[in-house]
Amino acid sequence: MKILLIGGTGTISSAITRQLAASGHDLWLLNRGNRKSEVPASVKQVIVDINDEQEVLRQVGGEMFDAVCEFIGFLPSQVERDIRLFKGRTRQYVYISSASAYNKPAANHVITEGTTLANPYWEYSRNKIACEELLMKEYRENGFPVTIVRPSHTYCERGVPVSVHGPKGSWQVLKRMMEGKPVIVNGDGSSLWTLTWNEDFARGFIGLLGNPKAIGEPFQIMSDEQLSWNQVYQCVANALGVTPHLYHVASDFLAAVAPKDYDFTGNLLGDKSVTVIFDCSKLKRAVPGFQCVTRFDEGVRRCVAYLLAHPELQEEDPAFDAWCDKVIAAQESAKQII
């Protein structure tokens, strides 16, 4: 197939790029070229700002694609741009939405593609919902061949997934663990979460490309494994070879006292603090044989080994470190009141 990825080098899309290239597809990437050295040699790269529509059309306007996949569309205006650019130029348009778009809290903790979309806590999720609604309207009224994909928390070797971290990523949390300091876990750590290795996600995603069952439909792609946040942090500590000191703080308190750029109202209250179990049977019917095979304890060991071997990724965050100490001290002080 002839496939165009808008993006193609991020956490999710990099695995898709590698697998499509290895399978011999005619793969094109449209992006700014910031990670061009990581792209397989067989991939055609279109280095352009996608908002420059005239330049995009100059470079790809005469091409017809079997699938165009949008990984970096976050606003309805960006989706409207894509419709202008690729209407009549692709047999399938795959939009990467987000499982955070599901209603919080959901009426049922088992989430399917039919679960109501509504997130009062997170503007990011509401924008994803608006993009989905715009695309489905275009499909119903004009036959635009859209497929919607909703990933949840997908990770790769470049970062260790944790629930509470600062704007510079999770390294400071790992550093606190290695130094024997307490690390903050949202709530009591018992809510369940799903973490999906990006190579597993990619296989499900690729199974939807060119798939006639996918047109006009939403699909969620995740692992069937659920872990509590306490188990997640324990797996991280095991990978580091340390004993974790987990310190539990209510999610609404964390959201109330965190700096604005931490966005815990969205990330925690609107997503990670809520127990969800995803039912991916719809995907498995459309892509027979699909199964996520990477347990989190296996995946996180790869992440930790990669980070320890790449010092350039070990970005410290002293402001977050100090904030953690301050929150812990405040809660300990409050315990002395009674």
Side-chain angles (χ1 to χ4, degrees), residues 226-281:
Q226 293 90 38
L227 296 171
S228 71
W229 280 112
N230 287 337
Q231 290 172 318
V232 169
Y233 278 80
Q234 184 64 59
C235 287
V236 174
N238 290 347
L240 289 168
V242 301
T243 299
H245 302 284
L246 306 185
Y247 191 87
H248 298 101
V249 182
S251 296
D252 53 359
F253 182 77
L254 291 172
V257 302
K260 288 185 178 181
D261 58 344
Y262 289 21
D263 195 17
F264 286 164
T265 298
N267 273 303
L268 290 181
L269 301 184
D271 204 22
K272 295 181 177 66
S273 67
V274 181
T275 286
V276 290
I277 296 173
F278 296 101
D279 178 353
C280 291
S281 56

Side-chain angles (χ1 to χ4, degrees), residues 96-102 122 124-125 128 132 149-152 271:
I96 311 304
S97 184
S98 170
S100 70
Y102 290 121
W122 207 357
Y124 163 83
S125 305
K128 287 290 190 179
E132 287 197 27
V149 173
R150 298 176 187 143
S152 185
D271 204 22

Side-chain angles (χ1 to χ4, degrees), residues 53 75-85 134-135:
E53 295 184 36
L75 300 171
S77 60
Q78 295 168 328
V79 167
E80 291 172 340
R81 174 206 63 207
D82 286 357
I83 294 171
R84 289 193 299 270
L85 285 171
L134 190 158
L135 285 164

Side-chain angles (χ1 to χ4, degrees), residues 7 39 42 44 69 110 136 188 194 198 223 230 249 274 309 326:
V39 176
S42 62
K44 180 175 176 59
C69 309
V110 179
M136 291 306 297
D188 65 0
T194 299
N198 68 340
S223 171
N230 287 337
V249 182
V274 181
K326 188 175 181 180

